[in-house]
Amino acid sequence: MIHARGLARTFTTRRGPVEAVSGVDIDVAPGELVGFLGPNGAGKTTTLRMLTTLLAPTAGSATVAGCDLLTDPLGVRRKIGYVGQSGGAGPDCLVADELILQGRFYGLSPARSRERAAELLEQLDLTGTETRVVQTLSGGQRRRLDIAMGLMHLPTLLFMDEPSTGLDPQSRANLWGHIRGLHAEHGTTLFLTTHYLDEADALCDRILVIDKGTIVAEGTPDELKRRVSGDLVLVGTTDPARAADITARIPDSTEHAVDGQTVRFRVPDGASVLPTLLGELSRAEVAMTSVEVRRPSLDDVFLTMTGRSLRETEGVGV
Amino acid sequence: MTTLTETWLIFQRSMKQSLRNPAWVIIGIVQPVLYLALFGPLLVPIIQNTPGFPPGDAYQVLVPALLVQLGLFGSLFVGFGLISEYRAGVIERMRVTPVSRVALLVGRALKDVVVLVVQGILLTVLALFFGLRAPFGGVVLALALVAVLALAMSSASYALALKLKSEDTLAPVLNTIVLPLLLLSGILLPMTLAPTWLYNLSRVNPFVYVVDAERAIFRGDFGGSVVVVGIVVAIALVLVMVGWGVRTFQRESA
């Protein structure tokens, strides 16, 4: 659905050229839900703007939804949907007017456009807002309207830039539900950017981690976490010394430590070593009070890849 | 879908937005009306006693100039509305659709033209009560010429707004451009009264030709070269400004 090679963008500023994106390769298969994760200013939005024909790349090439980005931008525009960071509905326009107009832009007939608008309003829980002025909608409703506008022409590929930024936790959870639903029901390929770890984790099949204009890691959330730092296994016991002897023999285990009544170590796949570990501990008659496997967070991933925590970099602009 | 249909769609959207806030149409016309009411009467004795004025009475001199002023000022400031739409992501959303960039610009600018023509008609009708006498055909032609000028100016305003993307920058830039354009256009007093150097300087300003043409048309002097020059200048302005506007809609980058 997306094949980009060496896509790059350099901005000319007064202080000289700034390389916002320095040659990224992106491959997204049809039906995937891919997240583009990185701190503010990492180059997420710039990459998205290039892929959606809003910004001309300074180098590289890409095929988006079967059309060449550089030679056939109009073809790309016809096939993709786009939900921008700052929305897209006119604040002083009526909800239904904006939706129907959006459909007309993609060549739907007036009747078909009205029909499609009604369909989407229902799907996204916006029934009853048709004749309301956009700026009177709540933040969550507005975001859902933006998504509805991106879906008017039933695109096979939908881009979303920071879909849940600025929403309260409840609206976010609700939005995620809708996004998952759309993806499951229609098989729409989704490509979204986010700087929230929980969002990438909760929503995406696959994640591309970007930092300073380069993709630094790629994989499913689980793969990324496993590959980078492994799971943390914690065993609560009344006999930490003997328990530690046993855990030290677990293959591929690292970072062994004893902390009071708790023995801890890291291992690539925590769940798969548990049966062996529990068996060994019972055979040796070591009393256990608790066993816990903690999956690393995407923040651990980001920390390992870049040496910085994603939380620390939050709020830093371009 | 043709560019024409797309332009019509954008025009309708802009028109609906304006009709939801019709107050702006009235606010836009307040300034020329004030000139008409509070400055016009001053012109009457001046014109009678000053040599160098073009032919015609006070209102035949003032009203066509006020129409140009309406076209110039009213249209140049439409860019502010575009900046708030830009901030709401509207422009970006439309630029991702296959809609022609010509439609994105011209659809909006045509709305401004319609608003201006309505304002122009109101102003002219009001001027009749002050004693304006002008041929009907002349008024129609004059309004058409101002409409062309308005299309040029609102395109320029949109282009500038999309380049600057900030009301705080757009306001001083526009004010800096507008004041010399106004003073050198002969809108308030004809440049025929000016000393030679000032007159020559005013010839650099394209609007002076449009103002001269408007005045000739109001006098019923349709065939003169002044009218032809004014029309040619207005059409040239439209071509340049619409071209510039469409390019910014094509290339706008953030």
Side-chain angles (χ1 to χ4, degrees):
Chain A
M1 197 53 82
I2 305 175
H3 300 285
R5 286 291 166 269
L7 213 55
R9 174 73 200 197
T10 308
F11 290 106
T12 324
T13 67
R14 266 175 225 159
R15 282 175 290 166
V18 173
E19 204 173 40
V21 175
S22 35
V24 294
D25 296 342
I26 297 171
D27 287 290
V28 176
E32 272 195 297
L33 207 171
V34 176
F36 209 29
L37 175 74
N40 290 326
K44 299 185 302 274
T45 298
T46 306
T47 307
L48 202 70
R49 289 172 60 85
M50 287 195 280
L51 290 173
T52 53
T53 76
L54 284 170
L55 193 65
T58 37
S61 63
T63 315
V64 177
C67 299
D68 188 281
L69 186 64
L70 302 177
T71 59
D72 187 16
L74 198 62
V76 174
R77 285 182 194 137
R78 284 205 185 95
K79 291 193 175 150
I80 62 164
Y82 172 76
V83 181
Q85 204 169 121
S86 37
D92 54 351
C93 296
L94 302 185
V95 170
D97 283 357
E98 284 292 76
L99 271 173
I100 293 166
L101 182 71
Q102 185 77 356
R104 302 277 287 127
F105 285 166
Y106 287 100
L108 303 188
S109 71
R112 176 73 191 113
S113 201
R114 266 194 297 277
E115 202 181 305
R116 180 78 186 128
E119 238 169 73
L120 279 168
L121 285 170
E122 199 195 317
Q123 249 177 51
L124 289 161
D125 276 340
L126 290 167
T127 312
T129 61
E130 289 88 344
T131 53
R132 279 176 61 185
V133 176
V134 169
Q135 61 193 355
T136 65
L137 298 181
S138 74
Q141 287 175 321
R142 231 173 132 164
R143 214 67 195 114
R144 296 204 300 275
L145 173 61
D146 296 336
I147 294 176
M149 294 222 289
L151 290 169
M152 276 301 286
H153 59 303
L154 288 161
T156 46
L157 170 62
L158 181 70
F159 289 92
M160 284 191 263
D161 199 3
E162 306 273 353
S164 74
T165 299
L167 293 185
D168 59 81
Q170 245 176 334
S171 310
R172 281 183 90 199
N174 173 285
L175 188 75
W176 290 353
H178 281 292
I179 294 175
R180 274 195 219 101
L182 284 168
H183 181 244
E185 267 174 58
H186 304 281
T188 313
T189 311
L190 287 169
F191 188 85
L192 58 91
T193 69
T194 180
H195 65 272
Y196 296 117
L197 295 159
D198 54 344
E199 185 161 84
D201 210 355
L203 218 46
C204 304
D205 302 335
R206 201 154 61 83
I207 295 173
L208 310 176
V209 184
I210 186 169
D211 186 44
K212 295 181 182 156
T214 321
I215 292 179
V216 292
E218 187 178 342
T220 67
D222 282 348
E223 252 170 39
L224 280 180
K225 292 173 198 165
R226 199 159 50 219
R227 195 169 76 206
V228 172
S229 29
D231 296 342
L232 187 64
V233 182
L234 300 146
V235 182
T237 173
T238 49
D239 192 350
R242 282 178 60 213
D245 285 344
I246 291 165
T247 60
R249 291 200 295 270
I250 299 285
D252 299 326
S253 61
T254 54
E255 297 176 43
H256 295 270
V258 178
D259 180 10
Q261 301 283 80
T262 309
V263 177
R264 61 171 74 205
F265 63 98
R266 278 196 187 272
V267 69
D269 187 355
S272 71
V273 302
L274 272 191
T276 324
L277 176 65
L278 295 180
E280 299 260 324
L281 286 170
S282 355
R283 255 198 302 283
E285 291 178 356
V286 174
M288 289 171 276
T289 53
S290 69
V291 178
E292 189 187 346
V293 176
R294 219 179 269 168
R295 322 260 13 232
S297 71
L298 283 174
D299 196 38
D300 292 334
V301 175
F302 197 77
L303 185 68
T304 321
M305 303 299 322
T306 67
R308 288 177 298 131
S309 159
L310 190 54
R311 287 179 227 283
E312 281 166 27
T313 61
E314 242 169 59
V316 181
V318 191
Chain B
M1 209 169 29
T2 63
T3 305
L4 212 62
T5 322
E6 290 170 353
T7 307
W8 173 242
L9 289 174
I10 301 277
F11 170 79
Q12 277 182 310
R13 177 180 184 274
S14 302
M15 208 63 216
K16 275 188 188 172
Q17 283 174 308
S18 290
L19 290 177
R20 223 165 280 131
N21 292 302
W24 287 108
V25 178
I26 304 302
I27 290 170
I29 201 181
V30 164
Q31 214 185 15
V33 165
L34 286 179
Y35 272 105
L36 185 70
L38 308 181
F39 182 71
L42 290 178
L43 270 185
V44 178
I46 292 179
I47 285 186
Q48 278 160 6
N49 303 319
T50 313
F53 255 96
D57 67 30
Y59 289 98
Q60 279 175 342
V61 170
L62 182 63
V63 176
L66 289 181
L67 286 179
V68 176
Q69 190 195 15
L70 202 62
L72 192 61
F73 279 74
S75 309
L76 255 185
F77 288 89
V78 295
F80 285 97
L82 193 74
I83 292 180
S84 61
E85 286 226 307
Y86 173 82
R87 206 163 285 137
V90 178
I91 309 302
E92 195 170 84
R93 162 201 135 208
M94 291 186 177
R95 287 183 66 238
V96 181
T97 72
V99 167
S100 116
R101 274 75 281 240
V102 175
L104 289 181
L105 173 82
V106 177
R108 283 186 168 79
L110 282 180
K111 182 270 295 179
D112 303 321
V113 170
V114 169
V115 170
L116 175 96
V117 169
V118 170
Q119 289 174 330
I121 292 171
L122 286 176
L123 183 73
T124 313
V125 168
L126 203 64
L128 292 177
F129 293 100
F130 282 87
L132 170 72
R133 291 296 166 262
F136 180 75
V139 171
V140 172
L141 180 62
L143 283 173
L145 185 56
V146 173
V148 174
L149 187 71
L151 184 61
M153 289 302 99
S154 59
S155 299
S157 182
Y158 289 135
L160 208 56
L162 217 48
K163 285 244 179 254
L164 299 174
K165 299 188 183 77
S166 139
E167 286 96 341
D168 294 341
T169 332
L170 185 61
V173 168
L174 284 180
N175 282 323
T176 313
I177 297 173
V178 157
L179 195 61
L181 282 183
L182 173 75
L183 291 176
L184 289 176
S185 67
I187 283 179
L188 297 176
L189 294 171
M191 293 316 283
T192 43
L193 299 175
T196 318
W197 67 268
L198 187 56
Y199 178 84
N200 289 338
L201 189 61
S202 77
R203 297 288 109 181
V204 180
N205 181 2
F207 298 101
V208 86
Y209 301 99
V210 182
V211 173
D212 286 350
E214 290 279 315
R215 287 195 172 120
I217 293 169
F218 260 67
R219 287 195 303 269
D221 180 8
F222 302 121
S225 64
V226 176
V227 176
V228 177
V229 171
I231 291 172
V232 169
V233 166
I235 289 172
L237 270 175
V238 147
L239 293 179
V240 172
M241 297 308 184
V242 170
W244 181 33
V246 171
R247 269 169 63 106
T248 33
F249 269 89
Q250 267 162 358
R251 293 197 179 168
E252 174 265 327
S253 59

